[in-house]
Each structure stands twice: as structure tokens, then as C-alpha cells.
Amino acid sequence: METERIAVAVRPRKSLEAADLGFRLARENFVALYAAHGAVVISFALALGLAFPNRLAWAAGLLWWLKPLYDRVALSVLSVALLGRAPRFAETLAELPRLIFGTGLLSSLTGLRLSPTRSFYAPVLQLEGLRGAARRKRMRVLAGRESSTAVALMGVCSTFELAILLGGLQLFATFQPEGAALSFWRETIFEPTPALLGFELGLYALAICVVEPLYVAAGFTLYINRRVWLEGWDVELAFRRLERRVRAAAVALALLLAFAPASHSRAAEPEIHCKVESAEDAGNCIQGVLADPMFGETLKFRGWRPRTFHTGGVNLDWLGKLADGIAALASSLARVGIWLLVPVLLALLVVAAARGLRITRRSRGELPLESPARRGFDLRPESLPADVVAAARARFAANDPSGALSLLYRGALVELARRFKLRLPASATEKECERIARSAGSASLVDDFAALARAWLYCAYAHRPPAAGEFESLCARFSAGFGARS
């Protein structure tokens, strides 16, 4: 997560305050969020209604069960909007195939579908992309103070959905002839007509469109708040702001000293309390930090566990009815597929047309190779100088090794994306970019990129710039592997 690009104030919050932050995020990105989410929900509601014209109650049940699918669309919009810019409707539409067939959807629709904390764990499945034991371990780490709030959020949002549904029915009942309101409600509950069931299906789709984006937004900010508590994002950002202020003060002090009279006095060098030169030194430093008493605190949490009930006799008559229901459902799956195929084909046609237009305009030089809002770097080819290596050497000579390595690293990413059509996720780290680059197939090119990424990591995060000879070696490898355009 690129914490410096987050568009909200990063600080530890109470659970209810974090949920309210999600509502605020949804309001600030109202158009992008509700347009994308509503288009998907309405498409599925129409498809299910047409596929089950005689069993609209089943259609409503399937519309409810597929909520995690619509949530993925809303979460995709919110995750990008959190970094400062809400995606356009066409961009979200282009992401639909990845969202539908992406990691975690099957778990969301099966094992975790009835979980009252699914909005809190949805970012783990969708954004972190973990599987199996790694995902379960990650969920155990995140579980804690936010879980009870996520359960309460589920209850509140479900209540509002029910209120919209009953309110719409009551509004319809007020327009009935005098004395017919009671019979209308009796018919609604016990003997609904197909027209009334269709009206209820439409009302329920409307309730999902209104409430579900708020539910997803609040669960997402609960997840972000939990990570802030665990990973100390606020401390990291404070240190980065302090670093920028110190650098600015150092530049001002250097200018003052440059114009001040020469002095033979020498300031005492600052004492380094934890000098890290090897892995063993780093381990000793970490053990010293962990020896603080605050890391030995034991916390107790309360949670819910399912209770097992035992009955003396078992009636298996329901198995016959279940088999009949399954057979009827199987016979209708073909119609569901046909009606669902229509919006999917339309979406694929729009995506293909948008990509074709983007490729055409890109070939004319009208569009950048990659959108700069997707990652922390500006990856447009026109943002790079004509001679990347010469510009990098000039920055290195000007005592700006970070800027020099940034130019080489950006140039390598642009070339990899241009040559091999690689797609990098918005949350990709340097190591993930290196793993994706291995799919290019060129071993020497991957080694050059790995060396460049390693040097950039040491310089940007460990503040260990490369020596002059090592930097010249990186420039030579960049010129050989990425400099010559093919």
C-alpha cells in the first residue's frame, strides 16, 4: 500500500469513527461508486428476472446470494479512490473480467458468504490476493477490535435494506383503493402475484444499489484502520514528513554555511545507537526493540463461536423435496446462462472497443503507455527524458542518487510494459514487479531489472545509495537491456 498517496488523514481511529470514514469516502466518490455498482446489480436483476419468470422468489434469492460479486466492483472503485482519484466508469467496466474471475470470489460465494464480517475480510481476498493457509493466517492477524463493529455494520445495513423494501411496498399500498390496503399486505405475504413478485424484485435490487456500497465502504475503512493500528502507517508518514523537513533544513543550513566565514571548528558527529551493517546487526537491533515491556502485553478478546445442537431423531423426508428443488434449479441454469450472457457480451464488446481505441490512439502518440495514477511512478513514456542514462548520470553527479535510480527504474518498467504487454496491479511492490517481469522470458533482462530494483530499494528505503562504480555498472546494464528499443 502506497501510504503517501492516501487521500484521507492516516491515523489510528476508533472503530465507529473508521466506519464513518467509509461513509464519507462513499459520499465523496458518489458518482463513480454508485454508477458502476448499480449497473452491475441492475443487469443481474434483469437477467435473473427474465431467467426465472415463474419463480421470481428464486431470482431474488440468487440476487441476494451474489452480493459478494457486486461488492467486488464497489471495492475496486473505493480502493482506487482512496489513493486520490476515483476511476471512470469505462475503467471500472474494463476491470469486470478480472473482478469476476479474480482470486477470492469462489470463497466469498461459498465458505465466507454467510460470515457477518465479510465486508471486513473482503479486501484480504480481493486486494491482497492471498490463498489457502496464507489467507487464513492473514485473517487471524487482522481479526480483533474491528470484528465486532463489522458484525454490527452487517445488522444495521440489513435493517436499512429491509426498511427500503417495506417502505416501497407501503408506498404502493397507499395508492390502493380505500379499504384494500389490508388485503394488499395479505396478498403480498401469503399469495403474491407474478406482477407483485416482480415489483418486490425491483425494490430489492434498488435497496441493494442504495445500501450495499455504504456497507462495502465502511468495511473497507475498518480494514484500513486495522492495518494502521498493526503496521503503524501514521508513524511511517510522520517520519517521512520529518525527513522532508530535515532535508529542507539541511539545505538551508548548507547555504548559510556556504556564505558564512570559514571556521576551523568541527561539529561533533552524531552518535549512532543502532548501526546496521549486516543481517546479524539487524537481528540484534530488532531484539533490542522487542525487549521493550510494551511488546510483552497480553490482550484478551471475546468472539462468537457456532454452537452445535444434537437431536434424537432425524427426519429425512426433506431430502426428496431438496432433490426436486435441485432438479428444477438445474433445468433453469441454462436460461440463467443465456440471459446473463447478454450483458456480459455487451460488456466485452465495450471493453474491446475501448481497448482498440486506446491502442490506436497510443500508436499515434496520443495516449500514455500506462496511466500514472495506477502506481506511485509516472510511467508515461513522454515523462522520461530522451536519453534516460544521460539524465540519470547527471542527477547522480548532482548528488541525487535517488532521482537517478528512479529514472532508470521507471525507464525499465516502461520498456518491460511496452515490449511484453505486462500488466502491473495498482498495489504491486518492487518484488512483485520483479516476479511479473520474469514472465517476459528473457533471463538476462530479468537479471538486469532485478539488479536495478535491488539498488532502488536500498537507496529509497535503507538510504544506502550505490557507489559510483556500481552506478556505472547499472547504467551499462540499462543501456544494453533497456536502452535499445526493439
Side-chain angles (χ1 to χ4, degrees):
M1 178 67 73
E2 300 166 8
T3 53
E4 287 188 319
R5 295 179 55 200
I6 293 182
V8 300
V10 177
R11 61 178 176 83
R13 290 176 165 84
K14 295 181 180 179
S15 298
L16 293 179
E17 186 183 359
D20 186 65
L21 178 65
F23 298 149
R24 176 66 182 272
L25 181 65
R27 291 197 302 269
E28 292 294 331
N29 302 277
F30 176 83
V31 176
L33 175 61
Y34 276 85
H37 181 267
V40 175
V41 173
I42 292 173
S43 298
F44 272 86
L46 289 175
L48 290 171
L50 294 173
F52 296 95
N54 299 322
R55 298 188 178 182
L56 293 177
W58 285 29
L62 286 175
L63 186 68
W64 169 79
W65 190 267
L66 293 175
K67 273 187 177 182
L69 176 59
Y70 326 137
D71 294 352
R72 293 174 72 88
V73 178
L75 185 57
S76 176
V77 175
L78 292 168
S79 62
V80 177
L82 185 68
L83 300 180
R85 183 190 70 87
R88 293 186 296 272
F89 181 77
E91 294 176 350
T92 306
L93 192 63
E95 292 289 321
L96 278 180
R98 182 183 64 84
L99 295 175
I100 294 175
F101 301 105
T103 304
L105 178 60
L106 183 60
S107 298
S108 300
L109 293 174
T110 53
L112 295 176
R113 177 58 187 88
L114 299 179
S115 172
T117 57
R118 61 182 176 88
S119 65
F120 178 65
Y121 291 125
V124 180
L125 276 69
Q126 180 174 340
L127 302 181
E128 298 188 14
L130 300 178
R131 299 174 182 270
R135 178 194 296 166
R136 292 191 294 271
K137 182 178 179 181
R138 179 63 169 165
M139 287 182 174
R140 285 195 298 270
V141 171
L142 292 176
R145 48 177 290 147
E146 313 294 355
S147 300
S148 58
T149 306
V151 174
L153 177 66
M154 165 71 80
V156 171
C157 291
S158 300
T159 302
F160 272 100
E161 282 187 359
L162 183 61
I164 292 175
L165 181 60
L166 295 180
L169 291 173
Q170 178 59 39
L171 179 63
F172 188 77
T174 57
F175 291 97
Q176 299 296 315
E178 185 177 357
L182 185 60
S183 60
F184 168 79
W185 279 107
R186 186 183 303 108
E187 179 184 354
T188 300
I189 297 173
F190 299 105
E191 297 177 356
T193 62
L196 188 56
L197 285 174
F199 179 68
E200 291 176 353
L201 178 62
L203 276 179
Y204 186 58
L206 176 63
I208 293 177
C209 291
V210 172
V211 178
E212 197 69 12
L214 299 175
Y215 172 68
V216 176
F220 178 51
T221 49
L222 285 174
Y223 160 81
I224 293 295
N225 190 54
R226 182 60 175 161
R227 290 193 60 178
V228 170
W229 278 98
L230 291 177
E231 301 172 18
W233 288 359
D234 56 325
V235 178
E236 178 185 353
L237 288 178
F239 274 113
R240 290 186 180 181
R241 288 192 294 267
L242 178 62
E243 179 187 13
R244 287 194 291 268
R245 290 197 294 268
V246 169
R247 285 185 178 179
V251 171
L253 181 61
L255 291 176
L256 290 176
L257 293 177
F259 292 100
S263 176
H264 296 287
S265 61
R266 183 178 180 183
E269 295 184 357
E271 181 182 359
I272 300 177
H273 297 282
C274 189
K275 188 174 182 180
V276 179
E277 294 182 349
S278 64
E280 183 179 358
D281 295 338
N284 294 334
C285 183
I286 293 173
Q287 292 299 326
V289 173
L290 294 178
D292 193 283
M294 68 177 293
F295 288 97
E297 183 181 359
T298 301
L299 300 178
K300 295 182 179 180
F301 297 96
R302 290 183 178 181
W304 291 355
R305 289 186 178 179
R307 185 176 178 182
T308 304
F309 296 94
H310 299 280
T311 58
V314 179
N315 185 5
L316 300 180
D317 294 340
W318 58 273
L319 287 178
K321 298 180 180 179
L322 178 62
D324 295 338
I326 293 176
L329 176 62
S331 65
S332 302
L333 285 180
R335 288 185 298 167
V336 175
I338 292 174
W339 287 111
L340 288 179
L341 189 61
V342 175
V344 171
L345 289 178
L346 289 177
L348 291 177
L349 286 175
V350 173
V351 171
R355 288 183 177 177
L357 179 61
R358 185 161 59 248
I359 293 173
T360 303
R361 295 180 63 188
R362 185 181 297 161
S363 63
R364 297 176 183 173
E366 299 178 6
L367 284 179
L369 177 64
E370 292 283 348
S371 172
R374 294 291 291 175
R375 287 172 289 279
F377 296 106
D378 191 349
L379 298 182
R380 297 173 300 171
E382 58 268 23
S383 69
L384 296 173
D387 192 340
V388 175
V389 176
R393 284 173 173 158
R395 288 198 180 186
F396 192 83
N399 199 22
D400 184 13
S402 178
L405 290 174
S406 175
L407 275 176
L408 295 178
Y409 186 67
R410 287 164 51 204
L413 284 175
V414 169
E415 281 301 304
L416 284 173
R418 186 187 67 84
R419 293 185 192 178
F420 304 103
K421 309 300 181 185
L422 299 180
R423 293 179 59 85
L424 302 177
S427 59
T429 63
E430 285 80 359
K431 287 296 183 183
E432 290 171 342
C433 290
E434 182 180 339
R435 288 197 296 270
I436 295 173
R438 295 188 183 278
S439 63
S442 175
S444 60
L445 201 64
V446 172
D447 292 340
D448 294 340
F449 180 77
L452 184 57
R454 185 165 53 252
W456 160 252
L457 280 172
Y458 280 130
C459 182
Y461 300 106
H463 305 291
R464 292 171 56 184
E470 183 182 355
F471 179 75
E472 284 300 323
S473 175
L474 291 173
C475 290
R477 297 179 74 169
F478 181 89
S479 300
F482 303 98
R485 294 177 176 269
S486 58

